[in-house]
Short mmCIF file of all heavy atoms in Angstrom, two decimals:
data_model
loop_
_atom_site.label_atom_id
_atom_site.label_comp_id
_atom_site.label_asym_id
_atom_site.label_seq_id
_atom_site.Cartn_x
_atom_site.Cartn_y
_atom_site.Cartn_z
N MET E 1 -105.94 1.41 31.84
CA MET E 1 -105.42 2.31 32.86
C MET E 1 -104.02 2.73 32.47
O MET E 1 -103.19 1.91 32.07
CB MET E 1 -105.43 1.58 34.20
CG MET E 1 -105.03 2.43 35.35
SD MET E 1 -106.32 3.61 35.71
CE MET E 1 -105.58 4.54 36.99
N ALA E 2 -103.72 3.99 32.61
CA ALA E 2 -102.42 4.52 32.23
C ALA E 2 -101.35 4.10 33.25
O ALA E 2 -101.63 3.91 34.42
CB ALA E 2 -102.48 6.03 32.15
N PHE E 3 -100.12 3.95 32.75
CA PHE E 3 -98.99 3.62 33.62
C PHE E 3 -98.79 4.75 34.61
O PHE E 3 -98.78 5.92 34.25
CB PHE E 3 -97.73 3.42 32.76
CG PHE E 3 -96.49 3.23 33.57
CD1 PHE E 3 -96.18 1.99 34.09
CD2 PHE E 3 -95.63 4.28 33.83
CE1 PHE E 3 -95.03 1.80 34.84
CE2 PHE E 3 -94.48 4.11 34.57
CZ PHE E 3 -94.19 2.86 35.09
N SER E 4 -98.62 4.41 35.89
CA SER E 4 -98.42 5.44 36.91
C SER E 4 -97.08 5.25 37.60
O SER E 4 -96.55 4.13 37.69
CB SER E 4 -99.55 5.40 37.95
OG SER E 4 -99.52 4.19 38.65
N HIS E 5 -96.52 6.36 38.05
CA HIS E 5 -95.25 6.36 38.78
C HIS E 5 -95.40 7.31 39.96
O HIS E 5 -95.82 8.46 39.80
CB HIS E 5 -94.11 6.83 37.87
CG HIS E 5 -92.81 6.98 38.59
ND1 HIS E 5 -92.03 5.90 38.91
CD2 HIS E 5 -92.17 8.07 39.07
CE1 HIS E 5 -90.95 6.32 39.55
NE2 HIS E 5 -91.01 7.64 39.66
N THR E 6 -95.08 6.84 41.15
CA THR E 6 -95.10 7.68 42.34
C THR E 6 -93.67 8.08 42.66
O THR E 6 -92.81 7.22 42.84
CB THR E 6 -95.73 6.93 43.53
OG1 THR E 6 -97.04 6.50 43.15
CG2 THR E 6 -95.83 7.83 44.74
N ASN E 7 -93.43 9.39 42.73
CA ASN E 7 -92.06 9.87 42.94
C ASN E 7 -91.69 9.83 44.41
O ASN E 7 -92.47 9.42 45.27
CB ASN E 7 -91.88 11.26 42.34
CG ASN E 7 -92.67 12.34 43.05
OD1 ASN E 7 -93.34 12.10 44.04
ND2 ASN E 7 -92.62 13.53 42.52
N SER E 8 -90.49 10.29 44.73
CA SER E 8 -89.98 10.24 46.10
C SER E 8 -90.73 11.18 47.04
O SER E 8 -90.65 11.04 48.25
CB SER E 8 -88.49 10.60 46.11
OG SER E 8 -88.30 11.89 45.57
N LYS E 9 -91.48 12.13 46.48
CA LYS E 9 -92.26 13.07 47.28
C LYS E 9 -93.69 12.60 47.50
O LYS E 9 -94.49 13.29 48.09
CB LYS E 9 -92.25 14.45 46.62
CG LYS E 9 -90.85 15.04 46.53
CD LYS E 9 -90.86 16.39 45.91
CE LYS E 9 -89.44 16.93 45.84
NZ LYS E 9 -89.41 18.31 45.39
N GLY E 10 -94.03 11.42 46.95
CA GLY E 10 -95.35 10.86 47.14
C GLY E 10 -96.39 11.30 46.13
O GLY E 10 -97.57 11.00 46.27
N GLN E 11 -95.99 12.01 45.08
CA GLN E 11 -96.92 12.47 44.05
C GLN E 11 -96.98 11.43 42.94
O GLN E 11 -95.96 10.87 42.54
CB GLN E 11 -96.47 13.81 43.48
CG GLN E 11 -96.43 14.90 44.53
CD GLN E 11 -95.71 16.15 44.04
OE1 GLN E 11 -94.82 16.06 43.21
NE2 GLN E 11 -96.11 17.29 44.56
N THR E 12 -98.19 11.19 42.42
CA THR E 12 -98.38 10.19 41.37
C THR E 12 -98.52 10.89 40.03
O THR E 12 -99.26 11.86 39.89
CB THR E 12 -99.63 9.35 41.66
OG1 THR E 12 -99.46 8.72 42.93
CG2 THR E 12 -99.82 8.28 40.59
N TYR E 13 -97.80 10.37 39.03
CA TYR E 13 -97.83 10.89 37.67
C TYR E 13 -98.20 9.76 36.73
O TYR E 13 -97.88 8.60 36.97
CB TYR E 13 -96.46 11.45 37.27
CG TYR E 13 -96.08 12.71 38.03
CD1 TYR E 13 -95.41 12.64 39.24
CD2 TYR E 13 -96.41 13.96 37.52
CE1 TYR E 13 -95.07 13.79 39.93
CE2 TYR E 13 -96.07 15.11 38.20
CZ TYR E 13 -95.40 15.02 39.40
OH TYR E 13 -95.07 16.16 40.08
N PHE E 14 -98.87 10.10 35.61
CA PHE E 14 -99.32 9.13 34.63
C PHE E 14 -98.64 9.40 33.29
O PHE E 14 -98.50 10.56 32.88
CB PHE E 14 -100.85 9.20 34.46
CG PHE E 14 -101.58 8.89 35.74
CD1 PHE E 14 -102.00 9.90 36.59
CD2 PHE E 14 -101.82 7.58 36.11
CE1 PHE E 14 -102.65 9.61 37.78
CE2 PHE E 14 -102.48 7.28 37.29
CZ PHE E 14 -102.89 8.30 38.13
N LEU E 15 -98.24 8.33 32.61
CA LEU E 15 -97.50 8.41 31.35
C LEU E 15 -98.45 8.63 30.19
O LEU E 15 -99.46 7.94 30.06
CB LEU E 15 -96.68 7.14 31.14
CG LEU E 15 -95.83 7.07 29.88
CD1 LEU E 15 -94.78 8.18 29.87
CD2 LEU E 15 -95.16 5.71 29.79
N HIS E 16 -98.12 9.60 29.31
CA HIS E 16 -98.91 9.92 28.12
C HIS E 16 -97.99 10.02 26.92
O HIS E 16 -96.79 10.17 27.04
CB HIS E 16 -99.62 11.27 28.30
CG HIS E 16 -100.66 11.26 29.36
ND1 HIS E 16 -100.35 11.35 30.69
CD2 HIS E 16 -102.00 11.16 29.29
CE1 HIS E 16 -101.46 11.32 31.40
NE2 HIS E 16 -102.48 11.20 30.57
N THR E 17 -98.60 10.00 25.74
CA THR E 17 -97.88 10.19 24.49
C THR E 17 -98.73 11.01 23.53
O THR E 17 -99.96 11.03 23.66
CB THR E 17 -97.49 8.84 23.84
OG1 THR E 17 -96.69 9.11 22.70
CG2 THR E 17 -98.71 8.07 23.40
N LYS E 18 -98.08 11.70 22.60
CA LYS E 18 -98.80 12.38 21.53
C LYS E 18 -97.85 12.63 20.37
O LYS E 18 -96.63 12.62 20.53
CB LYS E 18 -99.44 13.68 22.00
CG LYS E 18 -98.51 14.81 22.31
CD LYS E 18 -99.31 16.04 22.70
CE LYS E 18 -98.41 17.19 23.09
NZ LYS E 18 -99.18 18.38 23.43
N GLU E 19 -98.44 12.83 19.20
CA GLU E 19 -97.68 13.13 18.00
C GLU E 19 -97.61 14.64 17.84
O GLU E 19 -98.64 15.32 17.92
CB GLU E 19 -98.36 12.52 16.76
CG GLU E 19 -98.45 11.01 16.77
CD GLU E 19 -97.15 10.34 16.41
OE1 GLU E 19 -96.36 10.93 15.66
OE2 GLU E 19 -96.92 9.22 16.91
N VAL E 20 -96.43 15.19 17.64
CA VAL E 20 -96.25 16.62 17.41
C VAL E 20 -95.59 16.82 16.06
O VAL E 20 -94.86 15.96 15.58
CB VAL E 20 -95.41 17.29 18.52
CG1 VAL E 20 -96.12 17.23 19.85
CG2 VAL E 20 -94.04 16.67 18.62
N THR E 21 -95.88 17.95 15.45
CA THR E 21 -95.28 18.30 14.16
C THR E 21 -94.14 19.27 14.41
O THR E 21 -94.34 20.34 15.00
CB THR E 21 -96.32 18.94 13.23
OG1 THR E 21 -97.42 18.04 13.09
CG2 THR E 21 -95.73 19.21 11.85
N LEU E 22 -92.95 18.92 13.96
CA LEU E 22 -91.79 19.77 14.10
C LEU E 22 -91.79 20.84 13.02
O LEU E 22 -92.58 20.79 12.07
CB LEU E 22 -90.51 18.93 14.03
CG LEU E 22 -90.40 17.81 15.07
CD1 LEU E 22 -89.13 17.02 14.85
CD2 LEU E 22 -90.45 18.37 16.47
N ARG E 23 -90.93 21.82 13.12
CA ARG E 23 -90.90 22.93 12.16
C ARG E 23 -90.74 22.47 10.72
O ARG E 23 -91.29 23.06 9.82
CB ARG E 23 -89.77 23.88 12.50
CG ARG E 23 -90.02 24.69 13.72
CD ARG E 23 -88.96 25.74 13.86
NE ARG E 23 -88.92 26.21 15.24
CZ ARG E 23 -88.00 27.01 15.70
NH1 ARG E 23 -87.04 27.43 14.91
NH2 ARG E 23 -88.03 27.38 16.96
N GLY E 24 -89.94 21.45 10.50
CA GLY E 24 -89.71 20.96 9.15
C GLY E 24 -90.85 20.12 8.60
O GLY E 24 -90.80 19.62 7.49
N GLY E 25 -91.91 19.94 9.38
CA GLY E 25 -93.06 19.16 8.95
C GLY E 25 -93.01 17.70 9.35
O GLY E 25 -93.94 16.95 9.10
N ARG E 26 -91.93 17.29 9.99
CA ARG E 26 -91.78 15.90 10.40
C ARG E 26 -92.60 15.63 11.66
O ARG E 26 -92.64 16.44 12.58
CB ARG E 26 -90.30 15.60 10.66
CG ARG E 26 -90.01 14.14 10.98
CD ARG E 26 -88.52 13.87 11.02
NE ARG E 26 -87.84 14.50 12.13
CZ ARG E 26 -87.56 13.89 13.28
NH1 ARG E 26 -87.89 12.64 13.46
NH2 ARG E 26 -86.94 14.54 14.24
N LEU E 27 -93.26 14.47 11.70
CA LEU E 27 -94.00 14.06 12.89
C LEU E 27 -93.07 13.33 13.85
O LEU E 27 -92.24 12.53 13.43
CB LEU E 27 -95.15 13.12 12.52
CG LEU E 27 -96.37 13.77 11.89
CD1 LEU E 27 -97.37 12.70 11.51
CD2 LEU E 27 -97.01 14.75 12.83
N GLN E 28 -93.23 13.62 15.14
CA GLN E 28 -92.43 12.94 16.15
C GLN E 28 -93.32 12.62 17.33
O GLN E 28 -94.14 13.42 17.74
CB GLN E 28 -91.26 13.80 16.61
CG GLN E 28 -90.38 13.07 17.59
CD GLN E 28 -89.07 13.79 17.82
OE1 GLN E 28 -88.72 14.72 17.12
NE2 GLN E 28 -88.33 13.35 18.81
N ARG E 29 -93.14 11.43 17.88
CA ARG E 29 -93.90 10.99 19.05
C ARG E 29 -93.16 11.42 20.30
O ARG E 29 -91.97 11.17 20.43
CB ARG E 29 -94.06 9.49 19.01
CG ARG E 29 -94.76 8.93 20.21
CD ARG E 29 -94.84 7.45 20.11
NE ARG E 29 -96.24 7.10 20.09
CZ ARG E 29 -96.70 5.88 20.13
NH1 ARG E 29 -95.86 4.87 20.14
NH2 ARG E 29 -97.98 5.65 20.13
N ILE E 30 -93.87 12.09 21.22
CA ILE E 30 -93.25 12.49 22.48
C ILE E 30 -93.96 11.78 23.63
O ILE E 30 -95.13 11.40 23.52
CB ILE E 30 -93.27 14.01 22.69
CG1 ILE E 30 -94.70 14.53 22.78
CG2 ILE E 30 -92.50 14.73 21.60
CD1 ILE E 30 -94.80 15.96 23.28
N PHE E 31 -93.23 11.58 24.71
CA PHE E 31 -93.75 10.97 25.92
C PHE E 31 -93.66 12.00 27.03
O PHE E 31 -92.67 12.72 27.13
CB PHE E 31 -92.94 9.73 26.30
CG PHE E 31 -92.91 8.68 25.23
CD1 PHE E 31 -91.81 8.54 24.40
CD2 PHE E 31 -93.99 7.84 25.05
CE1 PHE E 31 -91.79 7.57 23.41
CE2 PHE E 31 -93.98 6.87 24.07
CZ PHE E 31 -92.88 6.73 23.25
N TYR E 32 -94.69 12.06 27.88
CA TYR E 32 -94.67 12.99 29.00
C TYR E 32 -95.50 12.44 30.15
O TYR E 32 -96.34 11.57 29.96
CB TYR E 32 -95.17 14.37 28.57
CG TYR E 32 -96.62 14.42 28.14
CD1 TYR E 32 -97.61 14.81 29.03
CD2 TYR E 32 -96.99 14.07 26.85
CE1 TYR E 32 -98.94 14.86 28.64
CE2 TYR E 32 -98.30 14.12 26.45
CZ TYR E 32 -99.28 14.51 27.34
OH TYR E 32 -100.59 14.54 26.95
N PHE E 33 -95.22 12.95 31.35
CA PHE E 33 -95.96 12.57 32.54
C PHE E 33 -96.86 13.73 32.95
O PHE E 33 -96.47 14.88 32.89
CB PHE E 33 -95.00 12.23 33.69
CG PHE E 33 -94.36 10.89 33.54
CD1 PHE E 33 -93.17 10.74 32.87
CD2 PHE E 33 -94.95 9.76 34.09
CE1 PHE E 33 -92.56 9.50 32.74
CE2 PHE E 33 -94.36 8.51 33.97
CZ PHE E 33 -93.16 8.39 33.29
N ALA E 34 -98.08 13.40 33.39
CA ALA E 34 -99.04 14.39 33.89
C ALA E 34 -99.64 13.87 35.18
O ALA E 34 -99.69 12.67 35.43
CB ALA E 34 -100.14 14.63 32.86
N ARG E 35 -100.13 14.78 36.00
CA ARG E 35 -100.70 14.38 37.29
C ARG E 35 -102.06 13.73 37.14
O ARG E 35 -102.49 12.99 38.03
CB ARG E 35 -100.82 15.58 38.21
CG ARG E 35 -99.48 16.02 38.74
CD ARG E 35 -99.66 17.00 39.83
NE ARG E 35 -98.36 17.45 40.31
CZ ARG E 35 -98.21 18.26 41.31
NH1 ARG E 35 -99.24 18.75 41.93
NH2 ARG E 35 -97.00 18.61 41.68
N GLU E 36 -102.77 14.01 36.06
CA GLU E 36 -104.10 13.43 35.83
C GLU E 36 -104.08 12.62 34.53
O GLU E 36 -103.34 12.93 33.61
CB GLU E 36 -105.14 14.52 35.73
CG GLU E 36 -105.28 15.35 36.99
CD GLU E 36 -106.26 16.49 36.83
OE1 GLU E 36 -106.84 16.64 35.72
OE2 GLU E 36 -106.47 17.22 37.80
N VAL E 37 -104.93 11.61 34.47
CA VAL E 37 -105.05 10.81 33.25
C VAL E 37 -105.90 11.61 32.27
O VAL E 37 -107.01 12.03 32.60
CB VAL E 37 -105.71 9.45 33.54
CG1 VAL E 37 -105.87 8.66 32.25
CG2 VAL E 37 -104.91 8.67 34.55
N LYS E 38 -105.38 11.83 31.07
CA LYS E 38 -106.11 12.58 30.06
C LYS E 38 -106.86 11.59 29.16
O LYS E 38 -106.47 10.44 29.04
CB LYS E 38 -105.14 13.43 29.27
CG LYS E 38 -104.43 14.42 30.18
CD LYS E 38 -103.64 15.43 29.46
CE LYS E 38 -103.04 16.37 30.50
NZ LYS E 38 -102.13 17.29 29.95
N PRO E 39 -107.96 12.04 28.54
CA PRO E 39 -108.79 11.12 27.74
C PRO E 39 -108.03 10.40 26.63
O PRO E 39 -108.26 9.23 26.39
CB PRO E 39 -109.86 12.03 27.15
CG PRO E 39 -109.86 13.26 27.97
CD PRO E 39 -108.51 13.38 28.57
N GLN E 40 -107.13 11.10 25.94
CA GLN E 40 -106.38 10.44 24.88
C GLN E 40 -104.90 10.43 25.26
O GLN E 40 -104.41 11.30 25.93
CB GLN E 40 -106.52 11.20 23.55
CG GLN E 40 -107.93 11.39 23.13
CD GLN E 40 -108.26 12.86 22.94
OE1 GLN E 40 -107.78 13.70 23.67
NE2 GLN E 40 -109.08 13.14 21.97
N GLY E 41 -104.22 9.45 24.79
CA GLY E 41 -102.78 9.43 24.92
C GLY E 41 -102.21 8.70 26.11
O GLY E 41 -101.00 8.64 26.27
N GLY E 42 -103.03 8.15 26.99
CA GLY E 42 -102.51 7.42 28.13
C GLY E 42 -101.89 6.10 27.70
O GLY E 42 -102.46 5.38 26.89
N LEU E 43 -100.71 5.78 28.20
CA LEU E 43 -100.03 4.52 27.87
C LEU E 43 -100.17 3.55 29.03
O LEU E 43 -100.08 3.93 30.19
CB LEU E 43 -98.55 4.77 27.59
CG LEU E 43 -98.21 5.52 26.32
CD1 LEU E 43 -96.70 5.71 26.22
CD2 LEU E 43 -98.70 4.76 25.11
N ASP E 44 -100.36 2.27 28.70
CA ASP E 44 -100.50 1.24 29.72
C ASP E 44 -99.18 0.77 30.30
O ASP E 44 -99.14 0.21 31.40
CB ASP E 44 -101.26 0.04 29.15
CG ASP E 44 -102.69 0.38 28.80
OD1 ASP E 44 -103.25 1.30 29.42
OD2 ASP E 44 -103.25 -0.27 27.91
N ALA E 45 -98.08 0.98 29.56
CA ALA E 45 -96.78 0.50 30.01
C ALA E 45 -95.68 1.40 29.45
O ALA E 45 -95.90 2.15 28.49
CB ALA E 45 -96.55 -0.93 29.55
N VAL E 46 -94.51 1.31 30.04
CA VAL E 46 -93.35 2.05 29.55
C VAL E 46 -92.94 1.42 28.22
O VAL E 46 -92.86 0.19 28.12
CB VAL E 46 -92.20 1.98 30.57
CG1 VAL E 46 -90.94 2.62 30.03
CG2 VAL E 46 -92.62 2.62 31.88
N PRO E 47 -92.68 2.23 27.18
CA PRO E 47 -92.26 1.67 25.89
C PRO E 47 -90.97 0.86 26.02
O PRO E 47 -90.13 1.14 26.87
CB PRO E 47 -92.03 2.89 25.01
CG PRO E 47 -92.75 4.00 25.69
CD PRO E 47 -92.78 3.68 27.14
N GLU E 48 -90.84 -0.13 25.17
CA GLU E 48 -89.66 -0.99 25.18
C GLU E 48 -88.41 -0.16 24.89
O GLU E 48 -88.41 0.69 24.01
CB GLU E 48 -89.81 -2.08 24.12
CG GLU E 48 -88.75 -3.14 24.20
CD GLU E 48 -89.01 -4.28 23.23
OE1 GLU E 48 -90.18 -4.62 23.03
OE2 GLU E 48 -88.02 -4.78 22.68
N GLY E 49 -87.37 -0.39 25.65
CA GLY E 49 -86.12 0.34 25.47
C GLY E 49 -86.03 1.61 26.29
O GLY E 49 -85.06 2.34 26.18
N TYR E 50 -87.03 1.90 27.11
CA TYR E 50 -87.03 3.09 27.96
C TYR E 50 -87.13 2.69 29.42
O TYR E 50 -87.61 1.61 29.75
CB TYR E 50 -88.21 4.01 27.62
CG TYR E 50 -88.08 4.74 26.31
CD1 TYR E 50 -88.52 4.17 25.13
CD2 TYR E 50 -87.53 6.02 26.26
CE1 TYR E 50 -88.41 4.84 23.93
CE2 TYR E 50 -87.42 6.70 25.06
CZ TYR E 50 -87.86 6.11 23.90
OH TYR E 50 -87.75 6.78 22.72
N GLU E 51 -86.72 3.59 30.30
CA GLU E 51 -86.87 3.39 31.73
C GLU E 51 -87.28 4.72 32.36
O GLU E 51 -87.01 5.79 31.82
CB GLU E 51 -85.59 2.87 32.37
CG GLU E 51 -84.42 3.83 32.27
CD GLU E 51 -83.14 3.28 32.85
OE1 GLU E 51 -83.19 2.26 33.56
OE2 GLU E 51 -82.09 3.88 32.60
N VAL E 52 -87.93 4.67 33.50
CA VAL E 52 -88.37 5.87 34.21
C VAL E 52 -87.28 6.30 35.17
O VAL E 52 -86.79 5.50 35.96
CB VAL E 52 -89.68 5.62 34.98
CG1 VAL E 52 -90.11 6.86 35.74
CG2 VAL E 52 -90.79 5.17 34.04
N VAL E 53 -86.88 7.58 35.07
CA VAL E 53 -85.93 8.17 36.00
C VAL E 53 -86.58 9.41 36.60
O VAL E 53 -87.56 9.91 36.09
CB VAL E 53 -84.59 8.54 35.31
CG1 VAL E 53 -83.88 7.30 34.81
CG2 VAL E 53 -84.80 9.52 34.20
N GLU E 54 -86.01 9.89 37.69
CA GLU E 54 -86.59 11.02 38.39
C GLU E 54 -85.57 12.16 38.47
O GLU E 54 -84.40 11.93 38.74
CB GLU E 54 -86.98 10.57 39.80
CG GLU E 54 -87.84 11.54 40.53
CD GLU E 54 -88.31 10.96 41.85
OE1 GLU E 54 -88.87 9.84 41.86
OE2 GLU E 54 -88.08 11.62 42.88
N ASN E 55 -86.04 13.39 38.22
CA ASN E 55 -85.20 14.56 38.36
C ASN E 55 -84.89 14.74 39.84
O ASN E 55 -85.80 14.78 40.67
CB ASN E 55 -85.92 15.79 37.80
CG ASN E 55 -85.07 17.03 37.83
OD1 ASN E 55 -84.48 17.36 38.84
ND2 ASN E 55 -85.04 17.72 36.71
N ASN E 56 -83.62 14.86 40.19
CA ASN E 56 -83.21 14.94 41.60
C ASN E 56 -83.74 16.19 42.30
O ASN E 56 -84.09 16.14 43.47
CB ASN E 56 -81.69 14.90 41.72
CG ASN E 56 -81.14 13.56 41.32
OD1 ASN E 56 -81.80 12.55 41.40
ND2 ASN E 56 -79.91 13.55 40.84
N LYS E 57 -83.80 17.32 41.60
CA LYS E 57 -84.22 18.58 42.23
C LYS E 57 -85.74 18.67 42.37
O LYS E 57 -86.25 19.04 43.41
CB LYS E 57 -83.73 19.77 41.42
CG LYS E 57 -82.25 19.99 41.51
CD LYS E 57 -81.84 21.23 40.78
CE LYS E 57 -80.34 21.45 40.85
NZ LYS E 57 -79.94 22.66 40.13
N THR E 58 -86.47 18.36 41.29
CA THR E 58 -87.92 18.59 41.27
C THR E 58 -88.74 17.35 41.57
O THR E 58 -89.90 17.46 41.92
CB THR E 58 -88.36 19.14 39.91
OG1 THR E 58 -88.07 18.17 38.91
CG2 THR E 58 -87.65 20.44 39.59
N GLY E 59 -88.17 16.18 41.38
CA GLY E 59 -88.91 14.94 41.59
C GLY E 59 -89.78 14.55 40.40
O GLY E 59 -90.53 13.59 40.49
N LEU E 60 -89.70 15.29 39.28
CA LEU E 60 -90.51 14.96 38.12
C LEU E 60 -89.97 13.71 37.42
O LEU E 60 -88.77 13.59 37.19
CB LEU E 60 -90.52 16.11 37.13
CG LEU E 60 -91.25 17.38 37.58
CD1 LEU E 60 -91.05 18.48 36.55
CD2 LEU E 60 -92.71 17.09 37.77
N PRO E 61 -90.86 12.77 37.08
CA PRO E 61 -90.41 11.58 36.36
C PRO E 61 -90.17 11.91 34.88
O PRO E 61 -90.81 12.79 34.31
CB PRO E 61 -91.56 10.61 36.52
CG PRO E 61 -92.75 11.46 36.77
CD PRO E 61 -92.25 12.70 37.44
N MET E 62 -89.22 11.19 34.27
CA MET E 62 -88.90 11.35 32.86
C MET E 62 -88.59 9.98 32.28
O MET E 62 -88.24 9.06 33.03
CB MET E 62 -87.66 12.24 32.68
CG MET E 62 -87.79 13.62 33.23
SD MET E 62 -86.26 14.53 33.12
CE MET E 62 -85.35 13.85 34.49
N LEU E 63 -88.72 9.85 30.97
CA LEU E 63 -88.31 8.61 30.30
C LEU E 63 -86.90 8.78 29.78
O LEU E 63 -86.54 9.83 29.25
CB LEU E 63 -89.25 8.28 29.14
CG LEU E 63 -90.58 7.68 29.49
CD1 LEU E 63 -91.32 7.30 28.22
CD2 LEU E 63 -90.44 6.46 30.37
N LYS E 64 -86.10 7.73 29.94
CA LYS E 64 -84.73 7.72 29.47
C LYS E 64 -84.51 6.44 28.71
O LYS E 64 -85.03 5.39 29.10
CB LYS E 64 -83.79 7.80 30.66
CG LYS E 64 -82.33 7.75 30.32
CD LYS E 64 -81.49 7.78 31.59
CE LYS E 64 -80.03 7.63 31.24
NZ LYS E 64 -79.20 7.57 32.45
N ARG E 65 -83.77 6.52 27.64
CA ARG E 65 -83.46 5.29 26.90
C ARG E 65 -82.57 4.40 27.74
O ARG E 65 -81.59 4.86 28.32
CB ARG E 65 -82.80 5.62 25.58
CG ARG E 65 -83.77 6.29 24.66
CD ARG E 65 -83.33 6.28 23.27
NE ARG E 65 -84.39 6.93 22.50
CZ ARG E 65 -84.37 7.07 21.23
NH1 ARG E 65 -83.37 6.64 20.52
NH2 ARG E 65 -85.38 7.67 20.63
N ALA E 66 -82.93 3.13 27.78
CA ALA E 66 -82.18 2.17 28.62
C ALA E 66 -80.86 1.80 27.99
O ALA E 66 -80.63 1.93 26.85
CB ALA E 66 -83.01 0.92 28.85
#
């Protein structure tokens, strides 16, 4: 089951990850929250060294380095 976070507005988001290719050809892992659990990329826990914070205006959760 993917890690879930319920924001201050009562909406639940699930943590995902995927590998993206940057312009220079370098691979980078990104983390993002989505309202639904997607078949691939769901994470069971917050990665070590990160914490979940919430955008004050929109209520969207984000990962921040601790």
Side-chain angles (χ1 to χ4, degrees):
M1 185 72 184
F3 174 82
S4 64
H5 175 77
T6 303
N7 67 3
S8 59
K9 297 181 180 187
Q11 299 168 331
T12 301
Y13 291 89
F14 299 95
L15 181 61
H16 293 79
T17 185
K18 70 177 177 179
E19 297 283 331
V20 295
T21 304
L22 303 177
R23 288 188 200 172
R26 185 172 68 97
L27 284 177
Q28 183 168 350
R29 177 182 241 187
I30 63 168
F31 301 101
Y32 64 98
F33 284 89
R35 286 192 182 183
E36 298 176 359
V37 178
K38 299 190 178 172
Q40 304 123 323
L43 290 178
D44 294 333
V46 175
E48 189 174 324
Y50 287 88
E51 63 183 346
V52 178
V53 295
E54 192 174 307
N55 184 310
N56 293 334
K57 289 184 181 179
T58 63
L60 292 174
M62 300 175 282
L63 282 185
K64 178 183 176 183
R65 292 197 178 182

